[in-house]
Amino acid sequence: MNNTQFTPRVFSGIQPSGGLTLGNYLGAIKRFVDMQNQGDFQTVYCMVDLHAITVWQDPAALRRNTRELAAGFIASGISPEKSILINQSAVPEHAQLGWIFSCVARMGWMSRMTQFKDKAGKNAEASSLGLFAYPALMAADILVYHATHVPVGEDQKQHLELTRDIAAKFNHDYGVDFFPEVEPVIEGAATRVMSLRDGSKKMSKSDPSDASRINMTDDADTIAKKIRKAKTDPDALPSEAEGLKDRPEARNLVNIYAALNEQTVEQVLAEVGGQQFGTFKPALAELAVSKLSPISTEMARLMDDVGEIDKLLANGALQAREITAPILKKTYEIVGMVG
Ligand code: AMP
Ligand code: TRP
């Protein structure tokens, strides 16, 4: 199987299950913008509301979070003229192909998914069936566009391997060459942004401690305060990346600096090596505020007119369905469905 027969197309999604964090921005959205502007791909970006409801979402909060995520995408530089921006539930082919893939994927594959194990916790019996089937719908999100490239953070690697397995099994079982082999794009200094309170945990919108993360809607003072209070060790910064090896908190702050400033870790350390955190943290706070405040200001402005956001999303869904409807139709034919 090779992908030369497929249009180079990027798909990625984020759950509207809470506010956006710096982890989402650096691990995902910033790279979505780069791939959009690179011009080598058609780009499709999605609020995955059907994935969000695999755990309970208050309906009013889900509506607000979906629109706020759309505002976050646009404020960060996703342009509805250059990319297709959609809400997952508005493009029904995602869920329709998701069902087919639930019949292709095996229980054993799904039960090895670490995100399910983490989210279900000790009480897997009480988690929703949707939470278990989550990766089959994710595979459908991607493959219903015949997408070839998927930019994500490190935590999604296993789900993308499963997506490849589902595509390969479908192609094999039906004797076709229909779904592409998806390439994960996991690159840059910030594929795994860690909690500011614990360098062994990923920064997450669901962490009970607000001090553990930077939210895209935090104001300048809050961002500066969270960085000042971020957990670190007492040593000065090293001049080489090797010196960050057993210092997860220091490494995290340097990675964040590098990603925000579009530098490599080596370039950052060449400049800041030898500095104490008392000097480095204010510089990082200033950099973070200068990059993030324009985005949060623009998000707030966009949220003043949700009618405009809804209009953009309705238009995105129309554009998306021009791609997804024929691919779903062909899938149904391959599977043997009539009508
Ligand atoms: P989620 O918020 O779980 O829907 O994640 C949306 C995207 O953000 C995915 O591509 C994740 O891999 C990425 N992401 C979430 N948290 C982080 C993090 N702490 N570091 C890097 N990427 C992240
Ligand atoms: N599972 C992803 C997350 O939690 C979100 C997601 C759903 C996604 N469908 C996708 C990401 C398709 C990339 C492509 O972050």
Side-chain angles (χ1 to χ4, degrees), residues 262-297:
E262 305 195 355
Q263 288 179 299
T264 63
V265 166
E266 287 73 18
Q267 285 168 333
V268 174
L269 292 178
E271 286 166 26
V272 305
Q275 278 183 14
Q276 296 292 337
F277 283 103
T279 312
F280 180 68
K281 279 179 167 180
L284 175 59
E286 197 184 318
L287 174 66
V289 169
S290 77
K291 300 283 179 182
L292 303 182
S293 323
I295 299 177
S296 67
T297 307

PDB file of all heavy atoms in Angstrom, residues 262-297:
ATOM      1  N   GLU A 262       9.826  29.364  19.061  1.00  0.00           N
ATOM      2  CA  GLU A 262      10.190  28.690  17.807  1.00  0.00           C
ATOM      3  C   GLU A 262      11.696  28.486  17.701  1.00  0.00           C
ATOM      4  O   GLU A 262      12.317  28.776  16.679  1.00  0.00           O
ATOM      5  CB  GLU A 262       9.625  29.464  16.613  1.00  0.00           C
ATOM      6  CG  GLU A 262       8.134  29.628  16.809  1.00  0.00           C
ATOM      7  CD  GLU A 262       7.360  30.057  15.582  1.00  0.00           C
ATOM      8  OE1 GLU A 262       7.986  30.337  14.564  1.00  0.00           O
ATOM      9  OE2 GLU A 262       6.120  30.092  15.679  1.00  0.00           O
ATOM     10  N   GLN A 263      12.273  27.979  18.784  1.00  0.00           N
ATOM     11  CA  GLN A 263      13.695  27.635  18.804  1.00  0.00           C
ATOM     12  C   GLN A 263      13.840  26.164  19.168  1.00  0.00           C
ATOM     13  O   GLN A 263      12.882  25.557  19.648  1.00  0.00           O
ATOM     14  CB  GLN A 263      14.404  28.447  19.903  1.00  0.00           C
ATOM     15  CG  GLN A 263      14.560  29.920  19.595  1.00  0.00           C
ATOM     16  CD  GLN A 263      15.262  30.625  20.755  1.00  0.00           C
ATOM     17  OE1 GLN A 263      14.760  30.634  21.868  1.00  0.00           O
ATOM     18  NE2 GLN A 263      16.422  31.195  20.483  1.00  0.00           N
ATOM     19  N   THR A 264      15.048  25.620  18.959  1.00  0.00           N
ATOM     20  CA  THR A 264      15.295  24.275  19.482  1.00  0.00           C
ATOM     21  C   THR A 264      15.735  24.419  20.940  1.00  0.00           C
ATOM     22  O   THR A 264      16.150  25.499  21.378  1.00  0.00           O
ATOM     23  CB  THR A 264      16.420  23.565  18.692  1.00  0.00           C
ATOM     24  OG1 THR A 264      17.623  24.313  18.878  1.00  0.00           O
ATOM     25  CG2 THR A 264      16.096  23.472  17.211  1.00  0.00           C
ATOM     26  N   VAL A 265      15.661  23.288  21.666  1.00  0.00           N
ATOM     27  CA  VAL A 265      16.090  23.286  23.066  1.00  0.00           C
ATOM     28  C   VAL A 265      17.569  23.687  23.151  1.00  0.00           C
ATOM     29  O   VAL A 265      17.975  24.449  24.027  1.00  0.00           O
ATOM     30  CB  VAL A 265      15.832  21.888  23.671  1.00  0.00           C
ATOM     31  CG1 VAL A 265      16.552  21.712  24.992  1.00  0.00           C
ATOM     32  CG2 VAL A 265      14.338  21.668  23.838  1.00  0.00           C
ATOM     33  N   GLU A 266      18.373  23.212  22.200  1.00  0.00           N
ATOM     34  CA  GLU A 266      19.807  23.540  22.191  1.00  0.00           C
ATOM     35  C   GLU A 266      20.013  25.055  22.053  1.00  0.00           C
ATOM     36  O   GLU A 266      20.842  25.638  22.754  1.00  0.00           O
ATOM     37  CB  GLU A 266      20.529  22.821  21.036  1.00  0.00           C
ATOM     38  CG  GLU A 266      20.724  21.323  21.253  1.00  0.00           C
ATOM     39  CD  GLU A 266      19.422  20.514  21.102  1.00  0.00           C
ATOM     40  OE1 GLU A 266      18.441  21.030  20.507  1.00  0.00           O
ATOM     41  OE2 GLU A 266      19.387  19.375  21.593  1.00  0.00           O
ATOM     42  N   GLN A 267      19.244  25.671  21.157  1.00  0.00           N
ATOM     43  CA  GLN A 267      19.380  27.132  20.981  1.00  0.00           C
ATOM     44  C   GLN A 267      19.023  27.870  22.270  1.00  0.00           C
ATOM     45  O   GLN A 267      19.706  28.815  22.662  1.00  0.00           O
ATOM     46  CB  GLN A 267      18.471  27.621  19.842  1.00  0.00           C
ATOM     47  CG  GLN A 267      18.990  27.289  18.455  1.00  0.00           C
ATOM     48  CD  GLN A 267      17.933  27.515  17.372  1.00  0.00           C
ATOM     49  OE1 GLN A 267      16.722  27.432  17.618  1.00  0.00           O
ATOM     50  NE2 GLN A 267      18.388  27.792  16.160  1.00  0.00           N
ATOM     51  N   VAL A 268      17.949  27.424  22.930  1.00  0.00           N
ATOM     52  CA  VAL A 268      17.539  28.089  24.169  1.00  0.00           C
ATOM     53  C   VAL A 268      18.642  27.943  25.219  1.00  0.00           C
ATOM     54  O   VAL A 268      19.048  28.924  25.856  1.00  0.00           O
ATOM     55  CB  VAL A 268      16.206  27.502  24.700  1.00  0.00           C
ATOM     56  CG1 VAL A 268      15.860  28.095  26.063  1.00  0.00           C
ATOM     57  CG2 VAL A 268      15.079  27.744  23.717  1.00  0.00           C
ATOM     58  N   LEU A 269      19.151  26.714  25.360  1.00  0.00           N
ATOM     59  CA  LEU A 269      20.152  26.489  26.409  1.00  0.00           C
ATOM     60  C   LEU A 269      21.446  27.243  26.135  1.00  0.00           C
ATOM     61  O   LEU A 269      22.138  27.672  27.062  1.00  0.00           O
ATOM     62  CB  LEU A 269      20.413  24.988  26.579  1.00  0.00           C
ATOM     63  CG  LEU A 269      19.231  24.202  27.167  1.00  0.00           C
ATOM     64  CD1 LEU A 269      19.570  22.718  27.241  1.00  0.00           C
ATOM     65  CD2 LEU A 269      18.837  24.717  28.553  1.00  0.00           C
ATOM     66  N   ALA A 270      21.773  27.433  24.859  1.00  0.00           N
ATOM     67  CA  ALA A 270      22.974  28.211  24.528  1.00  0.00           C
ATOM     68  C   ALA A 270      22.829  29.639  25.071  1.00  0.00           C
ATOM     69  O   ALA A 270      23.806  30.267  25.453  1.00  0.00           O
ATOM     70  CB  ALA A 270      23.188  28.223  23.018  1.00  0.00           C
ATOM     71  N   GLU A 271      21.576  30.121  25.124  1.00  0.00           N
ATOM     72  CA  GLU A 271      21.355  31.485  25.624  1.00  0.00           C
ATOM     73  C   GLU A 271      21.187  31.538  27.142  1.00  0.00           C
ATOM     74  O   GLU A 271      21.658  32.465  27.784  1.00  0.00           O
ATOM     75  CB  GLU A 271      20.081  32.075  24.989  1.00  0.00           C
ATOM     76  CG  GLU A 271      20.264  32.473  23.529  1.00  0.00           C
ATOM     77  CD  GLU A 271      18.937  32.720  22.827  1.00  0.00           C
ATOM     78  OE1 GLU A 271      17.940  33.060  23.504  1.00  0.00           O
ATOM     79  OE2 GLU A 271      18.898  32.554  21.593  1.00  0.00           O
ATOM     80  N   VAL A 272      20.466  30.555  27.708  1.00  0.00           N
ATOM     81  CA  VAL A 272      20.088  30.686  29.121  1.00  0.00           C
ATOM     82  C   VAL A 272      20.893  29.779  30.056  1.00  0.00           C
ATOM     83  O   VAL A 272      20.702  29.842  31.270  1.00  0.00           O
ATOM     84  CB  VAL A 272      18.572  30.442  29.336  1.00  0.00           C
ATOM     85  CG1 VAL A 272      17.745  31.354  28.446  1.00  0.00           C
ATOM     86  CG2 VAL A 272      18.215  28.983  29.120  1.00  0.00           C
ATOM     87  N   GLY A 273      21.778  28.927  29.490  1.00  0.00           N
ATOM     88  CA  GLY A 273      22.592  28.026  30.315  1.00  0.00           C
ATOM     89  C   GLY A 273      23.297  28.828  31.404  1.00  0.00           C
ATOM     90  O   GLY A 273      23.806  29.910  31.130  1.00  0.00           O
ATOM     91  N   GLY A 274      23.281  28.306  32.648  1.00  0.00           N
ATOM     92  CA  GLY A 274      23.928  29.023  33.762  1.00  0.00           C
ATOM     93  C   GLY A 274      22.962  29.909  34.545  1.00  0.00           C
ATOM     94  O   GLY A 274      23.246  30.261  35.688  1.00  0.00           O
ATOM     95  N   GLN A 275      21.828  30.252  33.945  1.00  0.00           N
ATOM     96  CA  GLN A 275      20.866  31.103  34.671  1.00  0.00           C
ATOM     97  C   GLN A 275      20.176  30.330  35.796  1.00  0.00           C
ATOM     98  O   GLN A 275      19.914  29.137  35.672  1.00  0.00           O
ATOM     99  CB  GLN A 275      19.747  31.592  33.726  1.00  0.00           C
ATOM    100  CG  GLN A 275      20.121  32.791  32.899  1.00  0.00           C
ATOM    101  CD  GLN A 275      18.941  33.267  32.031  1.00  0.00           C
ATOM    102  OE1 GLN A 275      17.780  32.871  32.225  1.00  0.00           O
ATOM    103  NE2 GLN A 275      19.257  34.123  31.081  1.00  0.00           N
ATOM    104  N   GLN A 276      19.808  31.054  36.852  1.00  0.00           N
ATOM    105  CA  GLN A 276      18.944  30.485  37.897  1.00  0.00           C
ATOM    106  C   GLN A 276      17.484  30.657  37.468  1.00  0.00           C
ATOM    107  O   GLN A 276      17.181  31.517  36.633  1.00  0.00           O
ATOM    108  CB  GLN A 276      19.173  31.228  39.220  1.00  0.00           C
ATOM    109  CG  GLN A 276      20.576  31.075  39.795  1.00  0.00           C
ATOM    110  CD  GLN A 276      20.879  29.661  40.277  1.00  0.00           C
ATOM    111  OE1 GLN A 276      19.978  28.882  40.586  1.00  0.00           O
ATOM    112  NE2 GLN A 276      22.157  29.310  40.318  1.00  0.00           N
ATOM    113  N   PHE A 277      16.609  29.860  38.107  1.00  0.00           N
ATOM    114  CA  PHE A 277      15.181  29.993  37.759  1.00  0.00           C
ATOM    115  C   PHE A 277      14.633  31.374  38.095  1.00  0.00           C
ATOM    116  O   PHE A 277      13.691  31.843  37.457  1.00  0.00           O
ATOM    117  CB  PHE A 277      14.350  28.879  38.413  1.00  0.00           C
ATOM    118  CG  PHE A 277      14.506  27.585  37.679  1.00  0.00           C
ATOM    119  CD1 PHE A 277      15.322  26.583  38.178  1.00  0.00           C
ATOM    120  CD2 PHE A 277      13.874  27.391  36.460  1.00  0.00           C
ATOM    121  CE1 PHE A 277      15.498  25.404  37.473  1.00  0.00           C
ATOM    122  CE2 PHE A 277      14.046  26.220  35.751  1.00  0.00           C
ATOM    123  CZ  PHE A 277      14.864  25.226  36.253  1.00  0.00           C
ATOM    124  N   GLY A 278      15.257  32.032  39.102  1.00  0.00           N
ATOM    125  CA  GLY A 278      14.832  33.390  39.454  1.00  0.00           C
ATOM    126  C   GLY A 278      14.954  34.348  38.271  1.00  0.00           C
ATOM    127  O   GLY A 278      14.238  35.348  38.193  1.00  0.00           O
ATOM    128  N   THR A 279      15.839  34.056  37.352  1.00  0.00           N
ATOM    129  CA  THR A 279      15.999  34.876  36.149  1.00  0.00           C
ATOM    130  C   THR A 279      15.199  34.300  34.982  1.00  0.00           C
ATOM    131  O   THR A 279      14.577  35.035  34.216  1.00  0.00           O
ATOM    132  CB  THR A 279      17.502  34.919  35.732  1.00  0.00           C
ATOM    133  OG1 THR A 279      18.255  35.216  36.891  1.00  0.00           O
ATOM    134  CG2 THR A 279      17.764  35.931  34.635  1.00  0.00           C
ATOM    135  N   PHE A 280      15.247  32.965  34.855  1.00  0.00           N
ATOM    136  CA  PHE A 280      14.616  32.328  33.698  1.00  0.00           C
ATOM    137  C   PHE A 280      13.088  32.417  33.747  1.00  0.00           C
ATOM    138  O   PHE A 280      12.434  32.670  32.726  1.00  0.00           O
ATOM    139  CB  PHE A 280      15.066  30.862  33.600  1.00  0.00           C
ATOM    140  CG  PHE A 280      14.458  30.120  32.437  1.00  0.00           C
ATOM    141  CD1 PHE A 280      14.815  30.447  31.130  1.00  0.00           C
ATOM    142  CD2 PHE A 280      13.529  29.099  32.648  1.00  0.00           C
ATOM    143  CE1 PHE A 280      14.245  29.767  30.047  1.00  0.00           C
ATOM    144  CE2 PHE A 280      12.967  28.416  31.575  1.00  0.00           C
ATOM    145  CZ  PHE A 280      13.326  28.750  30.272  1.00  0.00           C
ATOM    146  N   LYS A 281      12.511  32.221  34.940  1.00  0.00           N
ATOM    147  CA  LYS A 281      11.042  32.194  35.019  1.00  0.00           C
ATOM    148  C   LYS A 281      10.411  33.520  34.576  1.00  0.00           C
ATOM    149  O   LYS A 281       9.432  33.489  33.805  1.00  0.00           O
ATOM    150  CB  LYS A 281      10.589  31.823  36.425  1.00  0.00           C
ATOM    151  CG  LYS A 281      10.635  30.316  36.697  1.00  0.00           C
ATOM    152  CD  LYS A 281      10.192  30.074  38.129  1.00  0.00           C
ATOM    153  CE  LYS A 281       9.893  28.629  38.411  1.00  0.00           C
ATOM    154  NZ  LYS A 281       9.478  28.465  39.821  1.00  0.00           N
ATOM    155  N   PRO A 282      10.910  34.687  35.030  1.00  0.00           N
ATOM    156  CA  PRO A 282      10.299  35.934  34.540  1.00  0.00           C
ATOM    157  C   PRO A 282      10.423  36.083  33.013  1.00  0.00           C
ATOM    158  O   PRO A 282       9.508  36.585  32.363  1.00  0.00           O
ATOM    159  CB  PRO A 282      11.085  37.029  35.259  1.00  0.00           C
ATOM    160  CG  PRO A 282      11.654  36.362  36.466  1.00  0.00           C
ATOM    161  CD  PRO A 282      11.896  34.938  36.091  1.00  0.00           C
ATOM    162  N   ALA A 283      11.549  35.607  32.457  1.00  0.00           N
ATOM    163  CA  ALA A 283      11.703  35.706  30.992  1.00  0.00           C
ATOM    164  C   ALA A 283      10.675  34.814  30.298  1.00  0.00           C
ATOM    165  O   ALA A 283      10.058  35.190  29.292  1.00  0.00           O
ATOM    166  CB  ALA A 283      13.120  35.302  30.593  1.00  0.00           C
ATOM    167  N   LEU A 284      10.483  33.603  30.869  1.00  0.00           N
ATOM    168  CA  LEU A 284       9.490  32.690  30.293  1.00  0.00           C
ATOM    169  C   LEU A 284       8.081  33.280  30.416  1.00  0.00           C
ATOM    170  O   LEU A 284       7.275  33.217  29.477  1.00  0.00           O
ATOM    171  CB  LEU A 284       9.566  31.325  31.003  1.00  0.00           C
ATOM    172  CG  LEU A 284       8.517  30.289  30.606  1.00  0.00           C
ATOM    173  CD1 LEU A 284       8.587  29.970  29.106  1.00  0.00           C
ATOM    174  CD2 LEU A 284       8.687  28.985  31.407  1.00  0.00           C
ATOM    175  N   ALA A 285       7.795  33.869  31.590  1.00  0.00           N
ATOM    176  CA  ALA A 285       6.466  34.455  31.797  1.00  0.00           C
ATOM    177  C   ALA A 285       6.224  35.568  30.775  1.00  0.00           C
ATOM    178  O   ALA A 285       5.154  35.643  30.159  1.00  0.00           O
ATOM    179  CB  ALA A 285       6.337  35.001  33.221  1.00  0.00           C
ATOM    180  N   GLU A 286       7.230  36.395  30.559  1.00  0.00           N
ATOM    181  CA  GLU A 286       7.073  37.497  29.609  1.00  0.00           C
ATOM    182  C   GLU A 286       6.827  36.973  28.194  1.00  0.00           C
ATOM    183  O   GLU A 286       5.951  37.454  27.466  1.00  0.00           O
ATOM    184  CB  GLU A 286       8.347  38.346  29.645  1.00  0.00           C
ATOM    185  CG  GLU A 286       8.153  39.714  29.029  1.00  0.00           C
ATOM    186  CD  GLU A 286       9.470  40.486  28.999  1.00  0.00           C
ATOM    187  OE1 GLU A 286      10.212  40.429  30.001  1.00  0.00           O
ATOM    188  OE2 GLU A 286       9.751  41.105  27.975  1.00  0.00           O
ATOM    189  N   LEU A 287       7.591  35.935  27.841  1.00  0.00           N
ATOM    190  CA  LEU A 287       7.422  35.340  26.513  1.00  0.00           C
ATOM    191  C   LEU A 287       6.014  34.744  26.373  1.00  0.00           C
ATOM    192  O   LEU A 287       5.320  34.961  25.368  1.00  0.00           O
ATOM    193  CB  LEU A 287       8.484  34.249  26.310  1.00  0.00           C
ATOM    194  CG  LEU A 287       8.372  33.417  25.033  1.00  0.00           C
ATOM    195  CD1 LEU A 287       8.626  34.287  23.802  1.00  0.00           C
ATOM    196  CD2 LEU A 287       9.387  32.255  25.066  1.00  0.00           C
ATOM    197  N   ALA A 288       5.581  34.000  27.411  1.00  0.00           N
ATOM    198  CA  ALA A 288       4.261  33.349  27.342  1.00  0.00           C
ATOM    199  C   ALA A 288       3.162  34.400  27.222  1.00  0.00           C
ATOM    200  O   ALA A 288       2.252  34.270  26.390  1.00  0.00           O
ATOM    201  CB  ALA A 288       4.040  32.468  28.580  1.00  0.00           C
ATOM    202  N   VAL A 289       3.253  35.448  28.018  1.00  0.00           N
ATOM    203  CA  VAL A 289       2.221  36.490  27.965  1.00  0.00           C
ATOM    204  C   VAL A 289       2.215  37.143  26.584  1.00  0.00           C
ATOM    205  O   VAL A 289       1.154  37.359  25.984  1.00  0.00           O
ATOM    206  CB  VAL A 289       2.433  37.541  29.080  1.00  0.00           C
ATOM    207  CG1 VAL A 289       1.554  38.752  28.869  1.00  0.00           C
ATOM    208  CG2 VAL A 289       2.159  36.909  30.444  1.00  0.00           C
ATOM    209  N   SER A 290       3.414  37.402  26.033  1.00  0.00           N
ATOM    210  CA  SER A 290       3.448  38.099  24.737  1.00  0.00           C
ATOM    211  C   SER A 290       2.855  37.232  23.631  1.00  0.00           C
ATOM    212  O   SER A 290       2.265  37.742  22.685  1.00  0.00           O
ATOM    213  CB  SER A 290       4.866  38.542  24.392  1.00  0.00           C
ATOM    214  OG  SER A 290       5.605  37.437  23.933  1.00  0.00           O
ATOM    215  N   LYS A 291       2.971  35.914  23.747  1.00  0.00           N
ATOM    216  CA  LYS A 291       2.419  35.040  22.702  1.00  0.00           C
ATOM    217  C   LYS A 291       0.947  34.736  22.941  1.00  0.00           C
ATOM    218  O   LYS A 291       0.177  34.583  21.989  1.00  0.00           O
ATOM    219  CB  LYS A 291       3.186  33.706  22.651  1.00  0.00           C
ATOM    220  CG  LYS A 291       4.647  33.843  22.343  1.00  0.00           C
ATOM    221  CD  LYS A 291       4.889  34.096  20.867  1.00  0.00           C
ATOM    222  CE  LYS A 291       6.376  34.246  20.591  1.00  0.00           C
ATOM    223  NZ  LYS A 291       6.689  34.529  19.202  1.00  0.00           N
ATOM    224  N   LEU A 292       0.559  34.590  24.224  1.00  0.00           N
ATOM    225  CA  LEU A 292      -0.801  34.101  24.497  1.00  0.00           C
ATOM    226  C   LEU A 292      -1.835  35.207  24.649  1.00  0.00           C
ATOM    227  O   LEU A 292      -3.000  34.998  24.305  1.00  0.00           O
ATOM    228  CB  LEU A 292      -0.816  33.210  25.751  1.00  0.00           C
ATOM    229  CG  LEU A 292       0.121  31.991  25.695  1.00  0.00           C
ATOM    230  CD1 LEU A 292      -0.009  31.165  26.959  1.00  0.00           C
ATOM    231  CD2 LEU A 292      -0.164  31.113  24.474  1.00  0.00           C
ATOM    232  N   SER A 293      -1.433  36.386  25.168  1.00  0.00           N
ATOM    233  CA  SER A 293      -2.478  37.410  25.390  1.00  0.00           C
ATOM    234  C   SER A 293      -3.189  37.838  24.116  1.00  0.00           C
ATOM    235  O   SER A 293      -4.410  37.995  24.147  1.00  0.00           O
ATOM    236  CB  SER A 293      -1.983  38.695  26.033  1.00  0.00           C
ATOM    237  OG  SER A 293      -1.082  38.526  26.927  1.00  0.00           O
ATOM    238  N   PRO A 294      -2.490  38.021  22.989  1.00  0.00           N
ATOM    239  CA  PRO A 294      -3.247  38.399  21.792  1.00  0.00           C
ATOM    240  C   PRO A 294      -4.290  37.334  21.425  1.00  0.00           C
ATOM    241  O   PRO A 294      -5.377  37.658  20.946  1.00  0.00           O
ATOM    242  CB  PRO A 294      -2.186  38.502  20.692  1.00  0.00           C
ATOM    243  CG  PRO A 294      -0.874  38.578  21.388  1.00  0.00           C
ATOM    244  CD  PRO A 294      -1.045  37.941  22.736  1.00  0.00           C
ATOM    245  N   ILE A 295      -3.959  36.059  21.694  1.00  0.00           N
ATOM    246  CA  ILE A 295      -4.912  34.990  21.349  1.00  0.00           C
ATOM    247  C   ILE A 295      -6.124  35.050  22.281  1.00  0.00           C
ATOM    248  O   ILE A 295      -7.270  34.990  21.831  1.00  0.00           O
ATOM    249  CB  ILE A 295      -4.222  33.600  21.426  1.00  0.00           C
ATOM    250  CG1 ILE A 295      -3.061  33.556  20.426  1.00  0.00           C
ATOM    251  CG2 ILE A 295      -5.229  32.482  21.150  1.00  0.00           C
ATOM    252  CD1 ILE A 295      -2.250  32.271  20.456  1.00  0.00           C
ATOM    253  N   SER A 296      -5.868  35.229  23.600  1.00  0.00           N
ATOM    254  CA  SER A 296      -7.035  35.225  24.504  1.00  0.00           C
ATOM    255  C   SER A 296      -7.893  36.468  24.290  1.00  0.00           C
ATOM    256  O   SER A 296      -9.123  36.400  24.389  1.00  0.00           O
ATOM    257  CB  SER A 296      -6.615  35.036  25.954  1.00  0.00           C
ATOM    258  OG  SER A 296      -5.898  36.137  26.399  1.00  0.00           O
ATOM    259  N   THR A 297      -7.269  37.591  23.938  1.00  0.00           N
ATOM    260  CA  THR A 297      -8.062  38.793  23.656  1.00  0.00           C
ATOM    261  C   THR A 297      -8.950  38.564  22.433  1.00  0.00           C
ATOM    262  O   THR A 297     -10.142  38.897  22.436  1.00  0.00           O
ATOM    263  CB  THR A 297      -7.107  39.993  23.368  1.00  0.00           C
ATOM    264  OG1 THR A 297      -6.192  40.085  24.440  1.00  0.00           O
ATOM    265  CG2 THR A 297      -7.852  41.296  23.197  1.00  0.00           C
TER     266      THR A 297
END
